Amino acid sequence: MPAHIAVLDFGSQYTQVIARRIREAKVLSRIYSYKTTAAEMRAAGVCGIILSGGPSSVLAEASPRPDAAVFEMGIPILGICYGEQLMAHMLGGQVAHSKEREYGHGTLSINQKSRLFEGLPDTLRVWNSHGDRIEQLPDGFAAVASTENSPYATIEDASRNFYGMQFHPEVAHSEMGMEVMANFLFKICGISADWSMANYIEQSVQQIREMVGDEHVILGLSGGVDSSVAAALIHKAIGRQLTCVFVDNGLLRLHEREQVEKLYGDHFDLDVRVADERKRFLERLDGISDPEQKRKIIGNTFVEVFDEAVQDLKAHGNYTYLAQGTLYPDVIESVAIDGNPAALIKSHHNVGGLPEKMNLKLLEPLRELFKDEVRELGSQLGLPREVVWRQPFPGPGLGVRVMGPVREASLTVLREADAILHEEMMAADLYYKVWQSFCVFLPVKTVGVMGDERTYENVVALRIVESVDAMTADWARVPYDVLRTISNRIINEVTGCNRVVLDISSKPPGTIEWE
Ligand code: XMP
């Protein structure tokens, strides 16, 4: 690899955030396990090291330590939080448990000139989160900044280019944290800002090729952003050694399966196998109206179907990897097991613990990325806007948008109504502006009149919401004229629906989906 920054991971929840900040500064970096040796890093082209934070205490015997030789490499090192304490502890200083845990905002006073703070004000609001504190500095170190609770909030040995900070410059709550990191990267490590998403693609493609060799990979393609981008990236690396399985569960939107086949199969030349399991899902759902039970049935059936598809593929080829579009936010923080950061981070398996059961290794090329980065990556890989900026769609699909028992007739009404809503939201240039816009089928019949005839048909509800993270949401103020067109078209064009209502509930107390 070309010259790059190593982020040594000691299990901090912010390790990936550090890597992201470095990418934002357009610098090449890679996250390494704390166990990586100095020799391995030197051979890989590392020209600066950031020791991440972590949940352990350097005072605990089993706490994770880097190879002591990293301090002999002659390259700049920045220790953040636990990383700073490690540096102090391993180089001969003293660290002790603090009486008060410093957590939250603090004011950093910069007392001495330091290249880390060049061009920055004398005081900064910074974010802290630590229990231990440094009591005595190692030889050669000086304190350059302090906070209310800590005289050693930033320390340095400028002659060896070793820097340590108790606060977290990588988190958004630390004022000018990005500038502090940029000073480390450019003024201290002297690295250039030439990283781009195109480099990332190149780097990932190479890593995937090295990892997979001549083996084969299976990926569960849902058509959503994450699995689509993962598929496009892996396909770029290994072409037809990747096989995608797309499960048609009978709960898809209008023409969704055909669109997936056309885009990925024809346009991208991906090997997509469609498992047509509509019958199995709908039979299992027959007569079930409890939302939780529906979700369980759909989830379990998916696992079963996917497992069968995988076993079938494995019988016909050298399939040894299961690829998933797991993103950084899906990588759930967990508790430290025996203080070992390697065991800290638990994978959020999109397909519920399947890889172990299926005896497959995991390939997760998007693990270090955040959603907006994945979207950029997808665009650069040539995925169309409709895929990259697609609204979220729940795993159980239309199964949780037909209230009550899921029947084919209800699904047909819902699909047609939903397609009209989609078309009109696009036409009004609103589809990409809202968080989600979809229809819900209500198993309620109401009376209407069409022409001279009395009708007695079902109701469709429109759910259109704005949100930033789906944790809270508000109903979108769609112009009346647009709503009128949607409603007129659904009632006129969809057989089986004679009334359209608008959901004006916020979340909380409502949820976005109705089930
Ligand atoms: P709620 O209804 O809880 O939805 O306000 C929040 C967001 O999550 C989506 N959602 C799901 N996504 N599997 C998914 O992958 C699910 O079972 C599921 N349920 C809800 C929902 O569409 C919204 O964006």
Side-chain angles (χ1 to χ4, degrees):
M1 234 170 123
H4 65 281
I5 301 292
V7 181
L8 271 199
D9 182 22
F10 294 94
S12 165
Q13 57 178 326
Y14 298 131
T15 299
Q16 318 285 341
V17 184
I18 299 173
R20 180 191 173 126
R21 296 283 172 255
I22 302 174
R23 289 195 291 275
E24 282 173 8
K26 308 222 169 304
V27 166
L28 182 64
S29 73
R30 187 166 164 192
I31 297 171
Y32 287 91
S33 150
Y34 73 94
K35 292 179 180 159
T36 314
T37 64
E40 284 166 333
M41 281 191 270
R42 183 174 290 115
V46 171
C47 65
I49 297 177
I50 295 182
L51 309 175
S52 84
S56 318
S57 162
V58 295
L59 301 170
E61 201 139 304
S63 62
R65 307 270 158 96
D67 177 3
V70 299
F71 297 110
E72 310 295 328
M73 287 172 76
I75 59 174
I77 301 181
L78 170 66
I80 296 176
C81 194
Y82 177 77
E84 182 202 37
Q85 290 150 13
L86 262 180
M87 191 184 253
H89 186 69
M90 290 178 74
L91 296 176
Q94 260 182 27
V95 175
H97 289 305
S98 171
K99 276 187 237 84
E100 282 163 62
R101 201 182 149 72
E102 196 178 8
Y103 183 80
H105 271 123
T107 304
L108 185 81
S109 307
I110 298 156
N111 310 318
Q112 253 192 49
K113 258 178 96 90
S114 164
R115 281 197 287 169
L116 269 184
F117 298 118
E118 252 176 54
L120 303 186
D122 292 339
T123 56
L124 292 171
R125 265 168 79 69
V126 294
W127 183 260
N128 291 292
S129 169
H130 59 95
D132 294 348
R133 55 183 275 168
I134 295 173
E135 299 269 298
Q136 197 188 323
L137 292 179
D139 285 347
F141 275 82
V144 292
S146 54
T147 59
E148 299 88 334
N149 290 326
S150 168
Y152 303 123
T154 307
I155 60 172
E156 71 175 34
D157 176 345
S159 65
R160 285 189 284 177
N161 270 328
F162 291 165
Y163 298 83
M165 44 187 65
Q166 199 115 74
F167 65 96
H168 288 273
E170 71 277 21
V171 304
H173 319 287
S174 281
E175 199 184 352
M176 309 199 91
M178 189 69 202
E179 283 77 1
V180 176
M181 294 204 42
N183 279 346
F184 177 72
L185 299 171
F186 303 121
K187 300 214 159 94
I188 297 168
C189 298
I191 196 161
S192 45
D194 53 13
W195 180 89
S196 66
M197 195 49 93
N199 296 140
Y200 185 87
I201 295 175
E202 223 174 274
Q203 191 187 331
S204 302
V205 160
Q206 202 182 331
Q207 275 173 12
I208 295 167
R209 281 190 189 140
E210 278 166 19
M211 201 168 156
V212 174
D214 54 10
E215 295 171 24
H216 286 247
V217 180
I218 300 168
L219 181 140
L221 187 67
S222 72
V225 183
D226 307 344
S227 67
S228 301
V229 175
L233 180 63
I234 299 168
H235 179 259
K236 189 174 170 69
I238 58 168
R240 302 287 284 192
Q241 277 166 266
L242 169 70
T243 300
C244 298
V245 175
F246 178 82
V247 177
D248 183 349
N249 57 10
L251 306 167
L252 304 174
R253 287 160 290 188
L254 195 66
H255 305 314
E256 194 165 1
R257 170 171 156 186
E258 293 81 355
Q259 282 159 3
V260 164
E261 285 176 313
K262 195 158 175 274
L263 175 67
Y264 300 97
D266 299 351
H267 182 63
F268 274 92
D269 191 34
L270 268 160
D271 178 12
V272 181
R273 315 275 171 100
V274 175
D276 186 345
E277 294 290 348
R278 290 176 290 180
K279 201 157 161 274
R280 189 174 346 186
F281 279 89
L282 295 186
E283 275 174 9
R284 299 254 173 102
L285 284 169
D286 189 32
I288 308 290
S289 50
D290 177 65
E292 277 315 298
Q293 221 183 330
K294 283 201 225 170
R295 274 173 192 273
K296 277 208 184 85
I297 292 171
I298 298 168
N300 292 341
T301 309
F302 179 83
V303 168
E304 183 183 305
V305 164
F306 193 72
D307 189 26
E308 284 172 22
V310 167
Q311 299 312 334
D312 190 43
L313 281 173
K314 279 174 78 176
H316 294 96
N318 181 23
Y319 288 92
T320 50
Y321 279 96
L322 179 73
Q324 292 187 340
T326 318
L327 310 191
Y328 168 62
D330 302 330
V331 178
I332 305 165
E333 232 187 291
S334 178
V335 283
I337 299 163
D338 302 323
N340 172 11
L344 239 176
I345 289 179
K346 182 176 79 179
S347 233
H348 161 92
H349 293 155
N350 294 333
V351 282
L354 274 178
E356 282 150 50
K357 184 174 159 210
M358 294 187 294
N359 202 15
L360 289 164
K361 296 177 273 186
L362 260 186
L363 178 64
E364 295 178 310
L366 312 180
R367 261 185 90 84
E368 290 177 13
L369 300 183
F370 292 71
K371 193 83 175 186
D372 57 326
E373 295 180 301
V374 169
R375 291 211 162 103
E376 195 197 330
L377 177 60
S379 302
Q380 295 217 9
L381 288 166
L383 286 170
R385 188 171 186 225
E386 306 89 78
V387 172
V388 170
W389 288 98
R390 198 171 193 206
Q391 292 177 359
F393 185 60
L398 300 186
V400 289
R401 291 182 180 171
V402 167
M403 302 301 98
V406 182
R407 296 198 186 92
E408 193 55 67
S410 321
L411 284 167
T412 304
V413 171
L414 178 59
R415 270 190 199 108
E416 290 177 9
D418 197 64
I420 291 171
L421 171 62
H422 183 268
E423 267 178 42
E424 293 304 327
M425 290 295 285
M426 282 286 194
D429 200 17
L430 289 172
Y431 177 85
Y432 295 111
K433 292 190 177 136
V434 300
W435 176 261
Q436 271 172 299
S437 47
F438 57 87
C439 290
V440 178
F441 177 89
L442 308 191
V444 175
K445 290 205 165 193
T446 70
V447 173
V449 56
M450 271 189 126
D452 291 332
E453 279 191 40
R454 177 185 183 273
T455 59
Y456 188 50
E457 302 284 7
N458 287 97
V459 182
V460 161
L462 307 178
R463 183 62 166 151
I464 312 172
V465 297
E466 281 168 358
S467 174
V468 269
D469 54 9
M471 300 300 289
T472 60
D474 197 8
W475 54 281
R477 277 30 169 198
V478 175
Y480 285 162
D481 286 348
V482 178
L483 290 173
R484 183 184 54 194
T485 310
I486 295 166
S487 150
N488 279 349
R489 280 197 59 198
I490 292 176
I491 293 167
N492 285 322
E493 295 174 35
V494 180
T495 313
C497 166
N498 67 353
R499 193 175 294 268
V500 170
V501 297
L502 178 67
D503 181 352
I504 50 169
S505 326
S506 62
K507 173 184 179 173
T511 51
I512 296 176
E513 303 287 344
W514 277 40
E515 282 193 343

